[in-house]
Amino acid sequence: MRKITAALAAMILITACGGQGSDAGGGEQTRVTLVQGLAGEEFYETMACGAKAKAQELGVALDVQGPQKFDPTLQTPIVNSVTASAPDAMLIAPTDVKAMIAPLTQAKQQGIKIILVDTVVEDDGIGLSRISTDNVKGGAAAAQALSEQIGGKGKVLVISTDPGVSTVDARVKGFEQEIKANHPDIAHLGVQYSHNDVGEASRIVNAALAKDPDLAGVFAANLNSATGAGSALRQAGKLGEVRMVGFDAGPAQVKQLKDGVVQALVAQLPGDIGAKGVEQAVAAVKGQQVTASIPTDATIVTEENVDEPEVQRILYKAGC
Ligand code: T6T
């Protein structure tokens, strides 16, 4: 167990006595902080719900923090302050493969066990466990779904967030590999970056429609990109004419699916990612074996299966 200050020890004691549960072995309560990629966003809120439920089950004190934008310059100070508070473990979704290496190296050097949830950094030495969707496979599945929607031919556009975000980069890679290998009549117009901003994603699609009025399909690589792209298609009166596949399944995306704005969603399991993250953190703190890489499932959600109970169960939530 890591060294803690007297003030912190008093706080932890209060938390433990406050009925949040105590360490199964009757010792000091394990303290874990989850640093989200973006606070308040349904993917990360669902992840926090899974982490909270698991923390409660295991008697772990869990704190959740996150930046107001998916931005390493905003996430870095949060990581630095978490490091200063010296939890036993940190679950983190790094917002950039390079920029987050330095603050996480510092946390690691302080002895904090780091578990990467969703995104990763380029330094393999950071992250005792990495838990995420197989995003390359997810991107390839999105390409297959979009190809099916457009009859295997026509122009397609990809909207991502920013280069350097491991998950969306992997989705784009999987998408492009699949199109290149198996869909010769699809013309890939390239990737444009929305900076994870709904309005920017919308502007990108509007400009693309002006330049290529015969655009056949859009792959939006995450939640905000899909929300913005979908509203642009709606405003342009292109529903049904331009087909769309989006990654993620928050309430707005599910509504777009039901409204015919988007034809397929790739739903991840953020709740499972959070829960597994806490499990790995506890194992690491206890000096038990951790699993270096844990892939979690993704499901293609369409109008046909969206109301099935097992699909309803995996849709993201705004809170728990
Ligand atoms: O797609 C998720 C997440 O996997 C990705 O890393 C960033 O964007 C989301 O949070 C959704 O907006």
Side-chain angles (χ1 to χ4, degrees):
M1 195 66 60
R2 293 171 47 68
K3 282 204 184 89
I4 47 177
T5 64
L8 219 47
M11 251 171 61
I12 292 161
L13 200 62
I14 291 162
T15 315
C17 295
Q20 280 207 5
S22 62
D23 184 80
E28 247 171 38
Q29 193 173 31
T30 299
R31 295 187 309 123
V32 177
T33 300
L34 164 62
V35 181
Q36 300 166 307
L38 177 58
E41 190 234 55
E42 289 109 0
F43 175 85
Y44 292 112
E45 289 307 305
T46 308
M47 180 190 285
C49 291
K52 281 177 191 164
K54 184 54 76 176
Q56 171 108 21
E57 184 190 319
L58 299 181
V60 166
L62 178 76
D63 180 31
V64 179
Q65 301 190 35
Q68 293 305 312
K69 281 172 79 177
F70 195 95
D71 181 339
T73 64
L74 300 182
Q75 195 181 40
T76 295
I78 294 175
V79 170
N80 291 342
S81 96
V82 170
T83 301
S85 76
D88 298 296
M90 188 192 310
L91 309 186
I92 177 161
T95 46
D96 187 275
V97 287
K98 287 191 170 71
M100 294 314 296
I101 292 176
L104 289 175
T105 301
Q106 225 178 352
K108 183 183 164 184
Q109 282 166 353
Q110 305 270 334
I112 299 169
K113 310 289 186 204
I114 297 170
I115 309 293
L116 300 180
V117 282
D118 180 45
T119 39
V120 298
V121 286
E122 269 172 8
D123 182 341
D124 289 344
I126 292 174
L128 294 164
S129 179
R130 296 167 165 227
I131 306 157
S132 77
T133 306
D134 182 335
N135 287 293
V136 175
K137 217 165 121 189
Q144 285 159 6
L146 189 59
S147 175
E148 212 171 285
Q149 287 294 330
I150 63 174
K153 59 177 189 300
K155 295 177 181 172
V156 298
L157 171 72
V158 175
I159 305 177
S160 187
T161 59
D162 279 300
V165 178
S166 64
T167 47
V168 287
D169 280 352
R171 290 168 201 165
V172 171
K173 183 175 168 195
F175 182 92
E176 290 181 335
Q177 282 175 346
E178 171 63 24
I179 295 292
K180 200 168 170 201
N182 298 317
H183 307 270
D185 296 327
I186 290 182
H188 178 25
L189 298 180
V191 187
Q192 297 209 38
Y193 294 97
S194 69
H195 315 303
N196 208 22
D197 183 78
V198 173
E200 185 56 26
S202 197
R203 275 190 290 281
I204 289 170
V205 170
N206 277 328
L209 286 171
K211 187 161 174 281
D212 290 288
D214 56 344
L215 181 70
V218 175
F219 168 45
N222 84 329
L223 203 142
N224 283 346
S225 306
T227 304
S231 58
L233 292 180
R234 188 196 278 279
Q235 276 160 25
K238 289 282 189 176
L239 295 193
E241 195 183 323
V242 180
R243 317 291 278 181
M244 189 171 116
V245 174
F247 228 88
D248 294 307
Q253 291 69 48
V254 171
K255 180 163 187 324
Q256 287 188 334
L257 184 71
K258 292 192 169 179
D259 290 349
V261 177
V262 56
Q263 284 67 46
L265 303 173
V266 185
Q268 308 185 69
L269 292 177
D272 278 16
I273 295 175
K276 289 187 162 95
V278 170
E279 275 173 2
Q280 293 301 305
V282 169
V285 171
K286 288 184 173 168
Q288 296 166 351
Q289 202 182 338
V290 292
T291 308
S293 172
I294 303 182
T296 50
D297 284 342
T299 305
I300 300 275
V301 181
T302 61
E303 213 190 349
E304 284 75 50
N305 68 4
V306 68
D307 289 321
E308 289 172 12
E310 62 273 23
V311 173
Q312 284 286 310
R313 198 182 56 77
I314 62 169
L315 302 177
Y316 310 173
K317 298 173 190 66
C320 37

